[in-house]
Structures are given as structure tokens and as C-alpha cells.
Amino acid sequence: MDKVAIISDIHGNIPALESVLTDIEARNIQKIYCLGDMTGKGPDSARVLDICREQCEGVILGNWDDLIVKGRDVDVILWHRERLDRDHLDYLANLPTTIDLKMSGRHIRLFHASNQSVHHRVFPYKAYKELVEMFKNTDFTGNGCSEPDVIGYADIHLSYSLTLFSNHKTIFNTGSVGCPNDEPTASYAILEGYLNSEEKGPF
């Protein structure tokens, strides 16, 4: 089966990113997707951006990435913005906000925070109805395709996986590589299945 690594919320933390990439290589995982927030908080946003551009199959925008490009000119945003060159800022400004892919016949949708925006936060202990709403197509995700079977997101820095039994769909959170809130180690998600396959199979 194919293995896909989903990383996110690196926040300029090079030692954490390098540790995760070493683990990904040791597991012989060939494809990596990044769900944003490469920048902010930590000191090495520029290096993280360069590594993710080189290593990742796909990268999407996070809320910190968005703030650094077009947020208010407050001290913390200015500090991080000034450490990026024009190429980095242009790269962030043009990132997509969602990634859709197929694995073992399942439609997987990846975004940073929710299907509403990169700034709309959803925790696992929210009302069940709010979690179910995450699977709906919106203007943010694009209304032109089928609703996903699996949602993967980041933003809250808490890793978890949950199957919603009423509709047999799965939602998971990658946790954070560079600034975890659940435990003092970097976390990321691994998907296993047959990539780009319409036929239902192991997942």
C-alpha cells in the first residue's frame, strides 16, 4: 500500500521538522502533504518554507501564513514578515486552501482549520453537529465536487482521529510538528491505502 505523511503547524521549528522528516524517511514514506502554518512563533520560518517547498507534494495555507502575508502591522507579525523575502511572501500569498485526493476509493479532503476558513477553529469536543458540518462543501472548499469521506485538518495542535458513526465518515487532526499542545513531541499523521484508486480497499 501507499503511505502518505500529513504534517502541519511547524511554526519555524527546524529541529522538530528535521526529526519528523527523518522519521518519514525511515518509514519509507514517499509523499508528504503540509497543511500550513509553516511560519510564525519559531525563529526559522524562511528555512521551513524552503524545506516544505522542496519536500512536499502539496502545501496549503495556514492561519499564521495568512496573517504574515496580509495581517495587521503589529510587532509580532512584522517581526516574522521581515524575515521572509519577496519570493517567500509571494509563495504564501498564492497557496491553495484545500487539497482533495483519492485513496482506496475514499475521497479525502485536507484543509488547515475548517471548511469555513483558515481562521475558523474546530475542536474535537465541539458539538457533534459541528463536526458533521466539516464534511460539507462550502465556498471555501469549492462546491463543484462530491463531499469527502475523510477529513484531515490541523490548526488546534491536538492529534486525534474520530469516526462519525451516523454517516461512517472519519475526521482526523495531524497535531503539530513544531508547537504541540497535547504532548511535548512532534506529531504528524500517516495515511495508508492505494493512492489515486477509485476501488474500495484497505485504508
Side-chain angles (χ1 to χ4, degrees), residues 59-71:
V59 178
I60 60 177
L61 185 73
N63 59 304
W64 266 87
D65 307 324
D66 186 54
L67 287 171
I68 285 172
V69 172
K70 57 187 181 186

Side-chain angles (χ1 to χ4, degrees), residues 10 12-14 17 38 44-53:
I10 304 155
N13 187 336
I14 287 294
L17 177 58
M38 296 160 284
D44 290 313
S45 296
R47 260 186 86 197
V48 169
L49 278 170
D50 291 338
I51 291 170
C52 288
R53 289 174 75 172

